[in-house]
Every structure is written in structure tokens, then in C-alpha cells.
């Protein structure tokens, strides 16, 4: 038996162990409000090197605010005009995107140029949230890397920066000022549900703006000279009867309140630039120019306070770096402008809802003009993209014909050279009712060249398409048995001509040579197409016109009509022309069309559903379609109303939608239809 003394010692050790364990658990919980910092010592040293210990450093805090954070660009521009180049940046959420690009050496104008010259929807892809988010940003990161280079570390940037994140693992705030640039960039905007969390040194990073939209207190740990740029919103501008809006605003209450609390503690010493951007939706990324200008004007209002800030000016090293980055920016822009494509550095996998059209954006004359809606998988790496889409093929352009059949569709896209793109696709459809399989496949080789200082854009396309309707399914309307279409198309697109009131947009002229046949009979056609739009910005009015002509080179008449010609009709004889000789016997050796629209497109009309769906570029117009397809001076007429809108998902993915209804004079009946014009 052990002595009482020994027993007491063991009991004491046991109590101490339990106490330590309990204390550790308690500390884990009570330390949740204590941030974890990476690179703090080096961050302080870099600031000291900039100031040489002779002055107080100038700090800049950039708030979150989704698309509204683009106002920070204008703030930075005004600061630089006053010779204020900050010594460090504290940022979170969307403010970190602007902050990181500025810290990497880009000027405010260069940041704006990189944003406004890009279609946001071409850089973000929708996917099922298998990794924790609905959006994939691989192409956005690749676009930034094409300008700044692939290998960047935060600790080596010209301007020191701290990016604030939240961590799913420790439930603590993470302050990052070192590590891989693109990992931190991706984590900075990792808004829960929208984007997946990002792994960083054992943490799973979330957007730091979820808890505090304006991290002011942290800046005063490094300096007593701080500028704060914020993008608060006015809740009165939101529809609080929408439950999704209520949810979003409820989530914003906490982060807004904490940011306000930190601001109030510093109001007596901080220079607060409150950007007047409350009229802009969270997700209106297309308004970067406007937001930047509002930021500039808001900063200008604080000119008196900013006059007291130390003015270091732009260093010679930073100027030299910006000259180098300008060359990369221009090269990146030239490559992107050709096909709205960016080589993906890291292979990406996407799985989600797919909506595909079976005709080229460049030439819409196609044998099969339907859309495939289904579950789509996409693999991207470098300049190569592979996709597979399983679902239903839909044919419903007009009210006289509607079809929906199961389909499996595959496609491959490859950018051979800077100016050349190759596409191949195949789809297998099956008409269940008639037990009729339909095989369609095609290939497109397309080249583009911009000339005359990008005022003229030339494109040359060769395409081949074949459709085999083995049992003559009614799904394909007028196409029977095996048909093929070969097209060579040359197009010139003029750059938009704009002034304060009148704007000419989408002005183009194209010529095509086509061979249509079934391998036993081959026919050749020559086509021309011209289109343009005139916009009157003062009254938000527009007028668009499209004219086309197609001629049979063999002189045998019966020139084919394609749905994409734009004549809205239910006339079977017109739709079968050149496709089904049992229905069509037109002696005319030509087909000439004219489509005209006059409408109203209010720039201020941008309704939104809880910032999830944004309806933009909406218009209402009168349309008039004319077609001369017989040896007669009098054309066929289709007249009515059309409504168009761009349905934007989060301001990132856009679905152009058109619905129309009117009178079809050729058969004296009502005609209506709707269609989408997009590839997801």
C-alpha cells in the first residue's frame, strides 16, 4: 500500500491534468475572438523600410461591398493625383481584389482597364456546390495571372498588404500578409455558398467581410494616419418584402454594425471617404466605370483632410513596374478580346446546369437550331475544354412546332493559336414516341483578326455540320434523312461609334459561301448579311436593322430558309424551303429579308430579386420582319411586339431572353415564341 503522501501527490497531479484540459477547452472557446496573423513581423519591417522610421506611415483601409467595391479604384486615383501613395493596405472581401491588384503594382487606371475590358461572365463559371460553392473562379485567376505573372508572394509586393479572412476550422479571424498571391486572392472573395472555402496553411478561408465590412482597428496597430474607404449601402433602396432580400440584409447586420463600431471609435482621427454608391446593386459588376467615378468624387470631398496626409509621390521603381505591367496588360487584352477566352493555368472541373446551342455564335445558319438543357460536366486545362451534357433537346422557337427529346451532347474546344479556334461537337437524340434516333455532329474552324487599331474586326470561319434523321422524326421539322451543310464565312465588325447622344453598335457585314446537300444532290449558295443598331441615349430609344440575301448559284431556285434568318412565321412552306422538296417548290432564285425593330431600353430599369437575379438591358420594341422568297415584288410580312432582357445570375452569368408575339401575314395567323441566346 502506497503512503498517504504518495497518494496525495498523485491526486494533485491528476487534478492539475484535469484543470489543464478544462482550461484548454475554455481557452479554445474564449480565444475565438483573437485573430491569427501570418507575416506580421515582416509586415512591420517592410513598413519601417518605407518610412525609414522618420514619419508615421500612411495606411489605407478598403471595405467590402461586392461590386460597389470598384469605387475604391476612383479613391486610389484621387489619392495618387494628390501624390499620396499609401505605405500599407488593410482590406477584406471585394476590397481585397482592388487592394491586391494595387499592391501588386497596377495603377488605378490599369485596374479599371483590366476590369472594364472583360466580360465578368466569361471569367466565372457556375457549378454544383460539391466543393462548397456555386461559382468557380479559375478563369478569373488565370486572367489576373496573365497580367501579373503566375508566381507572386504577398511579402514581395511593392506595397505591403494584409488581407482579412475568417477560418472555418478555428472559427477565428486570419490576417494574411505572406504566402501565395493567388491563394490569398481566391480566399479574399470566398463568400459562403457562392464560392468554396480556400485552404491556406491548415485553414479554410472565408471572405473576411462576413463579420466586419470595415476593419479599421487593425490599421491603427501600425499607424495613427489612416484613410478609410467604405461602400455602405442604404437599406431603403432594397425590397424588404422579398424573403431572400430579408435573409441577405439580416446577414449583413452584424458585419455592418461591427464596422460602424470601429469607425465610431476612430472618427476623431480617421479620414473617412464614404463612397456615394448606394444606387448600385451589390452585383452590378458592369458598372465599374460609374463606380470608379463615384469613388473619385467621394474622395475629392475629403480634400481638406487629405491635404494633411504625407505625400510620398510615386517612386521611380513603381513607375517602371507599371510600364512593364502595361505591356502585359495590353497583350492579355488582345488575347482575351479575340474569343473571350483565357488559358486556365490549373485544370478545373465543373458540374452543373448546362444550356447549349447547336450553332456557332459566328454563323447561326444551322441544320439543327435547338438547345440542349441538362446536367453538364466541363473539364478545362490550358487552351483545351471538354464538355458533356445529358438532358433534353428543346425546339420551340415558334408556336407551330414544339419538341423535347432526350439527348447526349459532347463538345471540344481548342485554341490552336492566338487567332485560331477549333470546335467539334456531336449529339445523339432519341424521339421516344417514334423510336427515331437522330445523330448530329459538326466541326468549326474559326480565325479572328483585329486591325486598324481595333476599329475593324475580321473573322473567317469554316464549318461542317451533318444531321442523320434515321426514321424521319418530326422533331427536326423539315429536315429528313441525311443532310449536311458546309459554310465558309467572312465577317467584318466595326468598333462601336459613340458620342454623347447617338451611338452606333454591333455594326457588321458578312459574306458566306454554303454547300447544302444529302450527298446525292449538292447545291451551292452565296449569302450576305448586314446589321447595325442605333441608340439614342438621351431618350433611351434604339433602332436595329438586319438585312440578308441568299442566292442559288446553280439557278434552280428553292433557296433555303433558316430559323436564324429571323423571319417569325408559322408558314410551313417557308420553313421547308430548300429543306424538304416534297413541301417546297419555290422557283425564285433568291431569298431576301429585312428585320427592323424600334424600341425603348431604359437604362435606369434594373429590377432585382434579392441580388440573386438581376434583370438588365430590358427593352420593349415593335418589330417588323419582311421576306421576299418568291418571284413577287410583294414580301411576306410578320409584325408584332418583342420583349428582351438579360437575366443575370449574381451579375456574373447572363441569359439573354426574348419573347415575342404578333401577326404572320403569310398565313394570316398569330405567331409567338421565345428563345434563349446563350451557352452556359
Amino acid at each position: 500500500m502506497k503512503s498517504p503522501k504518495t497518494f496525495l501527490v498523485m491526486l494533485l497531479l491528476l487534478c492539475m491534468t484535469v484543470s489543464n484540459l478544462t482550461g484548454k477547452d475554455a481557452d479554445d472557446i474564449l480565444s475565438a475572438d483573437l485573430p491569427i496573423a501570418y507575416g506580421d513581423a515582416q509586415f512591420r519591417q517592410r513598413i519601417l523600410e518605407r518610412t525609414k522610421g522618420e514619419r508615421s506611415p500612411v495606411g489605407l483601409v478598403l471595405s467590402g461591398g461586392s461590386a460597389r467595391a470598384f469605387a475604391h479604384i476612383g479613391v486610389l486615383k484621387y489619392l495618387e493625383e494628390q501624390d499620396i501613395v499609401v505605405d500599407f493596405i488593410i482590406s477584406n472581401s471585394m476590397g481585397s481584389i482592388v487592394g491586391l491588384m494595387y499592391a501588386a503594382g497596377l495603377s488605378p487606371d490599369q485596374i479599371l482597364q483590366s476590369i472594364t475590358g472583360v466580360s465578368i461572365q466569361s471569367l466565372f463559371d457556375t457549378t454544383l456546390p460539391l466543393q462548397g460553392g456555386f461559382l468557380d473562379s479559375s478563369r478569373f485567376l488565370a486572367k489576373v495571372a496573365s497580367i501579373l505573372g503566375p508566381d507572386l508572394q504577398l511579402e514581395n509586393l511593392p506595397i505591403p498588404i494584409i488581407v482579412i479572412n475568417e477560418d472555418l476550422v478555428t472559427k477565428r479571424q486570419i490576417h494574411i500578409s505572406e504566402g501565395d498571391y493567388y491563394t490569398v486572392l481566391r480566399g479574399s472573395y470566398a463568400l459562403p455558398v457562392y464560392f468554396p472555402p480556400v485552404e491556406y496553411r491548415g485553414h479554410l478561408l472565408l471572405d473576411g467581410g462576413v463579420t466586419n465590412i470595415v476593419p479599421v482597428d487593425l490599421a491603427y496597430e501600425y499607424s495613427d494616419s489612416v484613410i478609410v474607404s467604405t461602400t455602405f449601402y442604404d437599406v431603403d433602396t432594397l425590397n424588404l418584402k422579398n424573403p431572400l432580400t430579408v435573409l441577405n440584409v439580416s446577414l449583413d447586420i452584424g458585419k455592418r454594425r461591427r464596422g460602424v463600431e470601429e469607425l465610431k471609435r476612430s472618427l476623431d482621427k480617421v479620414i473617412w471617404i464614404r463612397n456615394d454608391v448606394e444606387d448600385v446593386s451589390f452585383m452590378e459588376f458592369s458598372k465599374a466605370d460609374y463606380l470608379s467615378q463615384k469613388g473619385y468624387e467621394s474622395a475629392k470631398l475629403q480634400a481638406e483632410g487629405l491635404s494633411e496626409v504625407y505625400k510620398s509621390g510615386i517612386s521611380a521603381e513603381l513607375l517602371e513596374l507599371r510600364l512593364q505591367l502595361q505591356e502585359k496588360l495590353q497583350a492579355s487584352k488582345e488575347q482575351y478580346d479575340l474569343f473571350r477566352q483565357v488559358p486556365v493555368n490549373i485544370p478545373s472541373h465543373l458540374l452543373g446546369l448546362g444550356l447549349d446551342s447547336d450553332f456557332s455564335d459566328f454563323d447561326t445558319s444551322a441544320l439543327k437550331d435547338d438547345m440542349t438543357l441538362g446536367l453538364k460536366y466541363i473539364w478545362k486545362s490550358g487552351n483545351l475544354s471538354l464538355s458533356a451534357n445529358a438532358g433534353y433537346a428543346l425546339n420551340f422557337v415558334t408556336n407551330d412546332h414544339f419538341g423535347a427529346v432526350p439527348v447526349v451532347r459532347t463538345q471540344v474546344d481548342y485554341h490552336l493559336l492566338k487567332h485560331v479556334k477549333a470546335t467539334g461537337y456531336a449529339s445523339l437524340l432519341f424521339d421516344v414516341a417514334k423510336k427515331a434516333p437522330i445523330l448530329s455532329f459538326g466541326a468549326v474552324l474559326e480565325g479572328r483578326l483585329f486591325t486598324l487599331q481595333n476599329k475593324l474586326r475580321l473573322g473567317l470561319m469554316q464549318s461542317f455540320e451533318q444531321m442523320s434523321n434515321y426514321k424521319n422524326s418530326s422533331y427536326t421539322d423539315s429536315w429528313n434523312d441525311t443532310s449536311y451543310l458546309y459554310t465558309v464565312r467572312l465577317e467584318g465588325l466595326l468598333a462601336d461609334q459613340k458620342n454623347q447622344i447617338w451611338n452606333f453598335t454591333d455594326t457588321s457585314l458578312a459574306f458566306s459561301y454554303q454547300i447544302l446537300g444529302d450527298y446525292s444532290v449538292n447545291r451551292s449558295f452565296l449569302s450576305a448579311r448586314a446589321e447595325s443598331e442605333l441608340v439614342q441615349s438621351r431618350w433611351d430609344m434604339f433602332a436595329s436593322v438586319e438585312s440578308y440575301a441568299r442566292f442559288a448559284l446553280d439557278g434552280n431556285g428553292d433557296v433555303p430558309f433558316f430559323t436564324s434568318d429571323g423571319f417569325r412565321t408559322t408558314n410551313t412552306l417557308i420553313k421547308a424551303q430548300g429543306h424538304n422538296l416534297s413541301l417546297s417548290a419555290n422557283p425564285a432564285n433568291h431569298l431576301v429579308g429585312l428585320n427592323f425593330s424600334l424600341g425603348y431600353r431604359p437604362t435606369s430599369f434594373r429590377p432585382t430579386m434579392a441580388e440573386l437575379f438581376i434583370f438588365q438591358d430590358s427593352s420593349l420594341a415593335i418589330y417588323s420582319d419582311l421576306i421576299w422568297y418568291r418571284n413577287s415584288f410583294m414580301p411576306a410580312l410578320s409584325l408584332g411586339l418583342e420583349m428582351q432582357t438579360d437575366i443575370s445570375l449574381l451579375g456574373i452569368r447572363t441569359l439573354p431572353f426574348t419573347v415575342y408575339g404578333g401577326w404572320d401575314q403569310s398565313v394570316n395567323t398569330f405567331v409567338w415564341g421565345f428563345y434563349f441566346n446563350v451557352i452556359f
Side-chain angles (χ1 to χ4, degrees):
M1 183 175 179
K2 296 183 178 179
S3 65
K5 184 177 180 180
T6 302
F7 177 78
L8 289 173
V9 171
M10 293 178 65
L11 182 62
L12 179 61
L13 290 173
L14 179 62
C15 291
M16 291 175 62
T17 301
V18 173
S19 175
N20 286 337
L21 290 174
T22 305
K24 183 180 185 299
D25 291 340
D27 288 345
D28 285 345
I29 296 174
L30 296 176
S31 64
D33 65 332
L34 300 177
I36 301 173
Y38 290 97
D40 181 74
Q42 189 177 20
F43 183 80
R44 293 178 182 275
Q45 180 60 34
R46 293 185 64 203
I47 294 175
L48 183 62
E49 291 173 356
R50 292 177 64 90
T51 63
K52 299 181 173 56
E54 299 175 353
R55 59 178 176 85
S56 177
V58 180
L60 175 64
V61 178
L62 301 178
S63 77
S66 297
R68 295 173 175 179
F70 289 149
H72 299 319
I73 301 172
V75 172
L76 289 167
K77 181 179 177 106
Y78 182 79
L79 293 180
E80 287 202 353
E81 288 183 359
Q82 307 308 306
D83 287 330
I84 300 173
V85 179
V86 298
D87 296 303
F88 68 90
I89 298 171
I90 309 291
S91 65
N92 67 8
S93 194
M94 277 292 295
S96 292
I97 295 180
V98 176
L100 282 166
M101 296 179 77
Y102 185 72
L106 291 171
S107 71
D109 285 337
Q110 288 173 331
I111 298 173
L112 187 62
Q113 183 182 348
S114 67
I115 294 172
T116 55
V118 175
S119 169
I120 296 295
Q121 65 175 326
S122 70
L123 300 182
F124 293 92
D125 295 294
T126 54
T127 183
L128 292 179
L130 303 179
Q131 303 297 321
F134 286 100
L135 296 172
D136 179 89
S137 57
S138 300
R139 287 193 286 176
F140 168 71
L141 296 171
K143 183 68 171 69
V144 177
S146 68
I147 301 171
L148 301 177
D151 302 313
L152 280 181
Q153 299 292 315
L154 252 64
E155 59 268 29
N156 297 328
L157 300 181
I159 299 176
I161 184 172
I162 293 178
V163 176
I164 297 178
N165 293 86
E166 295 291 335
D167 177 31
L168 275 177
V169 178
T170 64
K171 316 300 187 294
R172 294 167 68 176
Q173 198 173 83
I174 311 295
H175 300 170
I176 305 176
S177 56
E178 66 177 15
D180 179 67
Y181 181 91
Y182 296 100
T183 299
V184 178
L185 175 61
R186 189 156 54 96
S188 70
Y189 56 80
L191 191 64
V193 181
Y194 297 112
F195 294 96
V198 178
E199 185 176 354
Y200 173 88
R201 301 185 181 183
H203 304 284
L204 286 176
L205 302 180
L206 293 177
D207 184 328
V210 299
T211 59
N212 183 3
I213 195 172
V214 193
V216 181
D217 286 353
L218 180 60
Y220 281 102
E221 295 183 12
Y222 303 97
S223 175
D224 57 4
S225 178
V226 176
I227 305 168
V228 178
S229 179
T230 67
T231 56
F232 287 120
Y233 61 88
D234 184 358
V235 73
D236 292 338
T237 64
L238 303 178
N239 178 15
L240 297 182
K241 294 182 179 180
N242 188 312
L244 294 177
T245 304
V246 172
L247 176 61
N248 284 341
V249 173
S250 300
L251 295 174
D252 286 333
I253 289 175
K255 63 184 182 183
R256 177 186 174 111
R257 181 175 297 162
R258 182 172 174 182
V260 170
E261 289 173 353
E262 293 194 13
L263 267 173
K264 289 172 68 175
R265 286 195 290 268
S266 310
L267 279 180
D268 60 333
K269 52 185 177 179
V270 73
I271 299 176
W272 180 17
I273 300 173
R274 182 175 181 179
N275 294 291
D276 182 18
V277 292
E278 296 171 347
D279 59 327
V280 179
S281 169
F282 300 143
M283 297 300 183
E284 286 191 274
F285 294 99
S286 60
K287 286 194 170 184
D289 272 317
Y290 173 80
L291 288 163
S292 177
Q293 182 61 34
K294 296 292 286 187
Y296 182 90
E297 294 169 358
S298 299
K300 198 173 182 179
L301 296 175
Q302 302 300 321
E304 183 177 352
L306 292 172
S307 65
E308 304 297 324
V309 176
Y310 180 82
K311 297 173 175 56
S312 61
I314 303 172
S315 67
E317 294 80 8
L318 184 57
L319 283 174
E320 178 63 27
L321 175 60
R322 287 178 175 179
L323 288 175
Q324 298 172 12
L325 291 175
Q326 184 61 38
E327 295 178 2
K328 295 181 179 179
L329 179 63
Q330 186 61 32
S332 175
K333 181 180 183 303
E334 290 176 358
Q335 181 179 23
Y336 171 84
D337 284 348
L338 289 169
F339 295 100
R340 293 291 191 266
Q341 187 270 345
V342 180
V344 178
N345 301 335
I346 301 173
S348 65
H349 304 267
L350 306 171
L351 181 65
L353 181 67
L355 183 62
D356 292 317
S357 60
D358 272 320
F359 54 82
S360 167
D361 291 336
F362 198 16
D363 182 26
T364 56
S365 298
L367 301 178
K368 192 162 76 71
D369 49 25
D370 56 18
M371 293 171 289
T372 300
L373 176 64
L375 189 63
K376 186 175 184 178
Y377 170 78
I378 305 175
W379 177 84
K380 295 180 180 181
S381 180
N383 289 306
L384 179 65
S385 174
L386 303 173
S387 67
N389 192 350
Y392 274 82
L394 308 176
N395 187 346
F396 54 83
V397 177
T398 57
N399 55 303
D400 69 317
H401 186 82
F402 176 87
V405 298
V407 63
V408 176
R409 187 181 192 278
T410 61
Q411 181 167 319
V412 57
D413 295 282
Y414 184 65
H415 294 262
L416 302 170
L417 302 166
K418 177 181 177 181
H419 298 276
V420 181
K421 174 187 177 183
T423 299
Y425 76 89
S427 60
L428 178 62
L429 304 89
F430 190 77
D431 188 338
V432 178
K434 291 194 173 185
K435 299 180 180 180
I438 306 169
L439 176 64
S440 177
F441 60 89
V444 180
L445 185 65
E446 184 180 344
R448 295 182 181 181
L449 177 68
F450 295 174
T451 186
L452 300 178
Q453 298 180 339
N454 289 347
K455 293 181 179 179
L456 177 62
R457 304 185 175 189
L458 298 174
L460 179 64
M461 184 200 73
Q462 291 190 76
S463 66
F464 175 86
E465 180 187 8
Q466 177 176 313
M467 184 171 65
S468 300
N469 187 6
Y470 293 104
K471 294 186 178 181
N472 293 334
S473 166
S474 61
Y475 173 81
T476 60
D477 205 4
S478 298
W479 297 106
N480 298 313
D481 301 318
T482 297
S483 302
Y484 78 91
L485 178 67
Y486 171 74
T487 302
V488 178
R489 176 182 170 99
L490 176 66
E491 181 181 46
L493 177 65
L494 296 178
D496 296 346
Q497 305 296 316
K498 298 182 179 180
N499 56 41
Q500 293 183 346
I501 301 177
W502 301 95
N503 300 321
F504 278 98
T505 64
D506 300 326
T507 302
S508 65
L509 177 64
F511 297 95
S512 301
Y513 171 74
Q514 294 177 308
I515 301 176
L516 177 66
D518 61 2
Y519 296 103
S520 62
V521 178
N522 303 313
R523 302 191 63 204
S524 301
F525 305 92
L526 188 64
S527 305
R529 184 179 295 268
E531 56 187 291
S532 185
E533 181 177 86
L534 176 64
V535 178
Q536 214 283 353
S537 56
R538 179 174 296 176
W539 299 322
D540 291 338
M541 301 292 294
F542 71 92
S544 61
V545 61
E546 180 182 22
S547 60
Y548 55 92
R550 189 173 295 115
F551 301 92
L553 296 180
D554 59 8
N556 292 330
D558 210 44
V559 180
F561 170 85
F562 297 95
T563 301
S564 58
D565 288 334
F567 184 74
R568 284 160 270 210
T569 183
T570 62
N571 190 328
T572 304
L573 296 180
I574 294 178
K575 298 172 73 172
Q577 183 172 302
H579 309 168
N580 190 336
L581 295 180
S582 64
L583 296 176
S584 175
N586 180 13
N589 208 51
H590 66 268
L591 183 147
V592 179
L594 177 66
N595 305 325
F596 178 78
S597 296
L598 178 64
Y600 175 63
R601 186 184 296 132
T603 55
S604 59
F605 181 72
R606 290 178 175 251
T608 177
M609 295 178 59
E611 309 295 329
L612 183 63
F613 295 102
I614 302 172
F615 299 87
Q616 47 194 13
D617 294 333
S618 303
S619 66
L620 177 65
I622 299 171
Y623 74 82
S624 177
D625 300 336
L626 300 170
I627 187 171
W628 291 263
Y629 69 103
R630 295 185 177 274
N631 289 324
S632 171
F633 179 77
M634 295 299 296
L637 170 67
S638 182
L639 180 70
L641 291 175
E642 66 177 11
M643 292 185 293
Q644 295 181 330
T645 188
D646 290 348
I647 306 173
S648 176
L649 175 64
L650 303 173
I652 292 176
R653 303 298 298 178
T654 300
L655 182 70
F657 174 75
T658 301
V659 59
Y660 68 89
W663 175 61
D664 181 4
Q665 174 267 336
S666 65
V667 286
N668 195 26
T669 188
F670 182 72
V671 61
W672 64 270
F674 59 94
Y675 54 90
F676 304 101
N677 187 19
V678 71
I679 297 180
F680 272 170

